[in-house]
Amino acid sequence: MTPSKQPLLLVALSSLSLNAWAEEDTSPVTLNMQPTVVSATRNEATIASIPGSVQVIDEQQIQQQSGAGRRVSDILGQLVPGLAPSSGGMSNFGQTLRGRNILVLIDGVSQNATRDNFRQLNSILPASIERIEVISGASSVYGAGASGGIINIITKRNQGQDIAFNSRIGLTTGNNLNAQGFAYELFQSATGRKDALDWYVSAGGVQRNDQFDGDGKRIPQDTSQGSNMDTETYDLLGRFGYALDTDKKLSLSLQDYKDQQDTSYTKDPGNKEHAVAIKGLVLDDQPYTHNQAANLNYTDADFYGQGLQVETYWRRSDALFFPDLARGKAGISNNNSVQDVYGLRLAVDSALPSIGQATGNVVWGADYDHERSRQRGDQYTVNDLVYSKTGETFELGPDITTTTKALFGQMSWDIGDWTLRSGVRREWIESKVADSIAYGEIVQTGKRSVLPGDTLNYGATLYNLGAVYHVSDNQDVFANFSQGFSLPDIQRFMRDVQSNFNIQSLNAQAIKVNSYELGWRGNWETLQAETTLYENTSDVTQFYDANDRVLRLINQKERVRGIENNVTWRMTDRWSLGGTYAWAKGETRQNGRWIDLPATRVSPAKTTVFVGYTEDTYTLRLQALRLASYDAAAKDNNGREINGYTLVDLLGSVELPVGRLEGGIYNLSNRTYQNAFAQANARAPYANAQGRTLSASYSIDW
């Protein structure tokens, strides 16, 4: 089927969606009760008042999809229409939203940095999450990074209980029931409140072992972005709140998350025909992700008649990558990327004077962010599968300190059947590039020479304007224009240059994206549906200059256009039917013609369908995901051909006299396939993805 006909198929099928199926329980479901979100506007707003595509994934949906060992990227790849499928490993590289980068927040604090390690979605265990808000389309509300949209992960907190506990234990195995392929999960939380104090603490751990494809063969490690196999993960979380009075509250959030690989397997370097796992790897320092964060917030619901929110935060992101490729005279080295970030955000919600029947408010404030990024690489000698450090350490790009200051304002008006929203944000960005030893010169000549640093200044002014027309209590039509931007990855730009390179020639600037969106949503008691048409464009792109061996920003137009649809139909009190469809076409203009973007940028068309059944004490859900084949970029010599695949899962839960048992069979048909990430990005031969996987977990609230 040609891409041009795929949107027509979607309309014919009405496409289907899980995201509206908010809770699968025994009580009647009322779909027309609109949840509130904070990610789209930085204050509470109903979905009906937002001129754009918004999705809320609640705790029950997350719990239903999260078998032991599964990651947030796996869950969102299944549930979010415009998001590319998961890589199946440590990284969310290539998992774009509407063909652009996503800004990942945890409790409103950005997990992105100017040096992108693509591990933001895998920085928290699913068991720690209360809900996830997904805002599709470019946004500047939280600053840089959201050229494709925002994913805000809201962690669990006290829900008014005086004292409560939750325990969860889970087990996952491959189809062959090989004990070496078991994954184990343990989770424990405790929450309570006393007088003005409330608190929530949790500890979760996952042990993943071997994984097997549909033929029962062990899957080899991905040495570029990192794999799931033989990893240990822990996630420690704490939230503490203190009510100063009925309007004022202090809250403190703490997190320590680590994902560590420890394996003796790797991909057989001698087999050029098939990706085969081979044992014998000797490597002391193996890939990991280690994130730590502390957030202190103050809210006042009546600050001189206004709402006030002051947020301070600190976080450290520490990621280590496998010593994967030999680079000229520098040989083989790993890559350790560390970012230390702290900042302050101030937002004030002020009511505007009424004009006739029109009422409105404005959220305005300022943001400050300070980031220090560094990358180092330890050199290795390799003897067969034995990796030994030589004692040499390289700077893989200069240390960079980036300071961002911003002022913003977001206005909303309710006028009869209309809601109008508009806003502006101005950013001032300064990047101080330290003197360093030019890694590119070591690669080329083996000599160590100083690459002089400098200071780069750039910025962006971004606007948004949108309207919602409330056709009835159950239907909305919306149109929206919004802008977002990404910061240039200067550290990566500077990795391959020589010591005589002039930093000012980088043409550093914010990569601005214009997003246009037109949509309709309907929300009835037994039916919820939405369809959205969009296009996003930019005049600047990142380009690798092979002559100077440096990434550059060049004036090259790009555009992505697409359609997203979803519908959920509650056929009876017991049966529900739904699914999603997303199709996008991404192009860049080179040498006077438009050529298609690769699958690392634009996901092939994705369709999901499900049928659900709810009984008094149990639920069942059969779901399928179809990723279409994609060869447009390959024909333009701008990417690889992607072979499509279909995956089917069976999920269920049952209430026991004490506690709840949940289970799942993923890849029910035991299909042998290669996921989109492997086909689009991995080095040949490409490894297969997981075959049939069985999962079971038991949880109890007490």
Side-chain angles (χ1 to χ4, degrees):
M1 180 175 295
T2 62
S4 62
K5 294 181 180 178
Q6 290 172 328
L8 299 178
L9 173 64
L10 166 64
V11 176
L13 294 176
S14 299
S15 216
L16 310 168
S17 168
L18 162 70
N19 70 15
W21 178 248
E23 299 184 1
E24 287 190 332
D25 58 19
T26 58
S27 60
V29 175
T30 303
L31 291 178
N32 60 3
M33 293 182 63
Q34 286 285 351
T36 60
V37 297
V38 297
S39 306
T41 60
R42 288 181 64 160
N43 69 332
E44 286 193 356
T46 63
I47 290 179
S49 70
I50 297 171
S53 181
V54 181
Q55 182 175 356
V56 178
I57 300 170
D58 65 25
E59 182 180 349
Q60 285 187 296
Q61 291 173 282
I62 296 167
Q63 186 173 328
Q64 183 184 58
Q65 297 285 334
S66 57
R70 282 171 66 84
R71 300 180 184 270
V72 174
S73 57
D74 301 322
I75 296 169
L76 295 180
Q78 175 74 37
L79 301 183
V80 179
L83 185 68
S86 167
S87 71
M90 277 185 172
S91 171
N92 52 267
F93 178 77
Q95 201 164 10
T96 59
L97 182 58
R98 295 185 174 179
R100 303 283 182 175
N101 290 338
I102 50 176
L103 174 63
V104 179
L105 312 172
I106 295 181
D107 292 327
V109 176
S110 171
Q111 304 300 298
N112 294 42
T114 54
R115 181 70 189 105
D116 199 340
N117 293 322
F118 296 102
R119 294 186 179 177
Q120 301 93 336
L121 284 181
N122 298 324
S123 295
I124 188 170
L125 288 181
S128 302
I129 301 172
E130 176 184 296
R131 71 182 189 279
I132 302 174
E133 299 176 358
V134 182
I135 315 300
S136 298
S139 172
S140 64
V141 173
Y142 288 88
S147 54
I150 297 171
I151 294 177
N152 190 9
I153 299 169
I154 312 297
T155 59
K156 292 180 178 178
R157 63 205 67 201
N158 180 268
Q159 300 294 334
Q161 309 100 315
D162 290 334
I163 189 72
F165 303 91
N166 173 261
S167 304
R168 175 184 171 97
I169 184 171
L171 175 69
T172 294
T173 178
N175 188 58
N176 54 13
L177 302 181
N178 187 330
Q180 293 181 337
F182 284 3
Y184 308 93
E185 179 182 8
L186 291 171
F187 180 82
Q188 178 64 55
S189 69
T191 184
R193 66 173 184 175
K194 183 174 177 59
D195 300 327
L197 177 68
D198 64 79
W199 52 275
Y200 175 94
V201 294
S202 66
V206 176
Q207 168 69 58
R208 304 175 187 86
N209 294 298
D210 295 357
Q211 292 181 345
F212 302 94
D213 63 16
D215 297 325
K217 298 178 181 178
R218 190 197 190 279
I219 301 170
Q221 250 70 12
D222 173 25
T223 56
S224 62
Q225 294 295 322
S227 294
N228 274 340
M229 289 80 77
D230 298 330
T231 57
E232 294 181 354
T233 305
Y234 72 76
D235 189 10
L236 306 177
L237 184 70
R239 292 186 64 95
F240 307 91
Y242 187 81
L244 301 174
D245 58 32
T246 56
D247 295 319
K248 302 177 182 62
K249 185 172 183 177
L250 280 171
S251 61
L252 173 66
S253 300
L254 303 170
Q255 188 195 22
D256 187 358
Y257 172 94
K258 190 168 187 181
D259 193 20
Q260 172 75 63
Q261 186 175 81
D262 184 8
T263 187
S264 59
Y265 283 91
T266 190
K267 186 165 75 172
D268 185 357
N271 193 326
K272 305 301 182 183
E273 298 295 325
H274 304 284
V276 176
I278 185 173
K279 194 171 185 179
L281 174 69
V282 178
L283 175 65
D284 290 336
D285 295 336
Q286 298 203 8
Y288 66 76
T289 302
H290 189 193
N291 292 345
Q292 298 168 294
N295 308 333
L296 179 63
N297 299 338
Y298 170 76
T299 58
D300 186 347
D302 188 13
F303 179 73
Y304 297 99
Q306 305 170 98
L308 171 67
Q309 185 173 43
V310 181
E311 302 175 87
T312 62
Y313 57 88
W314 169 87
R315 66 176 179 87
R316 164 171 282 197
S317 175
D318 184 357
L320 181 67
F321 292 80
F322 193 91
D324 191 30
L325 290 175
R327 293 182 172 87
K329 296 184 181 298
I332 295 176
S333 65
N334 62 12
N335 183 346
N336 182 211
S337 180
V338 180
Q339 290 86 38
D340 290 290
V341 183
Y342 63 84
L344 172 69
R345 293 211 308 258
L346 169 70
V348 180
D349 186 357
S350 304
L352 294 171
S354 299
I355 303 175
Q357 295 183 340
T359 60
N361 74 295
V362 59
V363 179
W364 56 277
D367 295 340
Y368 173 83
D369 187 88
H370 182 278
E371 173 198 318
R372 184 176 185 271
S373 180
R374 68 174 181 84
Q375 284 196 109
R376 299 291 186 270
D378 291 320
Q379 188 187 61
Y380 284 83
T381 59
V382 182
N383 182 11
D384 196 13
L385 299 180
V386 178
Y387 287 70
S388 304
K389 288 184 179 181
T390 66
E392 289 273 5
T393 299
F394 305 123
E395 293 177 274
L396 303 179
D399 292 357
I400 297 179
T401 301
T402 300
T403 302
T404 302
K405 303 172 185 176
L407 297 175
F408 69 91
Q410 292 287 327
M411 185 183 303
S412 176
W413 285 97
D414 290 310
I415 308 172
D417 293 328
W418 291 86
T419 298
L420 306 179
R421 291 187 179 273
S422 63
V424 61
R425 181 183 180 93
R426 174 62 188 174
E427 299 246 359
W428 296 269
I429 305 161
E430 179 186 76
S431 289
K432 294 183 178 179
V433 183
D435 294 348
S436 62
I437 303 299
Y439 179 69
E441 191 154 323
I442 298 175
V443 171
Q444 294 295 310
T445 69
K447 298 179 180 179
R448 289 178 172 265
S449 301
V450 174
L451 171 64
D454 206 340
T455 298
L456 298 172
N457 292 282
Y458 45 102
T461 302
L462 303 149
Y463 303 92
N464 60 276
L465 177 64
V468 182
Y469 177 62
H470 308 289
V471 179
S472 67
D473 291 341
N474 305 103
Q475 296 186 72
D476 301 314
V477 177
F478 60 85
N480 193 45
F481 165 76
S482 58
Q483 295 180 308
F485 75 104
S486 298
L487 294 176
D489 191 347
I490 299 172
Q491 196 169 61
R492 176 62 185 88
F493 288 4
M494 302 296 294
R495 176 188 295 179
D496 297 324
V497 304
Q498 299 196 30
S499 59
N500 60 355
F501 182 78
N502 180 6
I503 292 176
Q504 295 296 335
S505 68
L506 279 172
N507 183 32
Q509 58 181 295
I511 306 171
K512 186 182 293 187
V513 173
N514 296 322
S515 176
Y516 309 87
E517 193 170 0
L518 179 65
W520 166 88
R521 53 182 168 240
N523 193 14
W524 294 271
E525 184 175 351
T526 60
L527 178 68
Q528 188 177 52
E530 181 176 335
T531 184
T532 306
L533 299 169
Y534 69 87
E535 181 178 40
N536 61 63
T537 64
S538 62
D539 293 331
V540 179
T541 189
Q542 295 186 6
F543 168 76
Y544 185 76
D545 187 331
N547 292 325
D548 290 339
R549 298 182 57 79
V550 59
L551 281 170
R552 296 187 186 276
L553 293 174
I554 62 170
N555 297 326
Q556 179 169 301
K557 294 182 182 295
E558 291 187 347
R559 65 187 183 192
V560 181
R561 57 190 65 175
I563 183 172
E564 296 170 358
N565 286 314
N566 64 67
V567 62
T568 292
W569 177 27
R570 179 72 180 268
M571 297 179 290
T572 70
D573 288 343
R574 302 299 183 190
W575 289 94
S576 60
L577 179 67
T580 66
Y581 178 86
W583 171 87
K585 182 175 180 62
E587 298 170 299
T588 187
R589 190 164 180 81
Q590 288 185 5
N591 301 321
R593 70 185 186 96
W594 290 99
I595 65 173
D596 285 274
L597 292 172
T600 52
R601 280 286 311 276
V602 176
S603 172
K606 186 177 72 172
T607 305
T608 71
V609 294
F610 81 90
V611 58
Y613 180 77
T614 302
E615 193 50 80
D616 290 341
T617 59
Y618 68 89
T619 66
L620 287 173
R621 174 187 173 88
L622 184 67
Q623 64 183 28
L625 182 151
R626 170 63 185 173
L627 192 76
S629 297
Y630 179 68
D631 62 0
K635 291 178 178 178
D636 284 336
N637 197 31
N638 194 39
R640 301 176 184 171
E641 182 176 354
I642 306 299
N643 295 315
Y645 49 86
T646 301
L647 302 176
V648 180
D649 307 323
L650 178 63
L651 311 176
S653 67
V654 58
E655 292 286 350
L656 302 176
V658 178
R660 182 180 182 92
L661 183 65
E662 296 180 301
I665 306 175
Y666 301 94
N667 191 0
L668 185 64
S669 63
N670 198 32
R671 182 186 182 98
T672 299
Y673 74 104
Q674 295 156 352
N675 66 27
F677 168 79
Q679 296 183 63
N681 183 72
R683 282 181 288 279
Y686 311 142
N688 290 333
Q690 277 187 281
R692 184 184 295 122
T693 305
L694 315 176
S695 176
S697 64
Y698 173 77
S699 62
I700 181 172
D701 295 314
W702 50 287

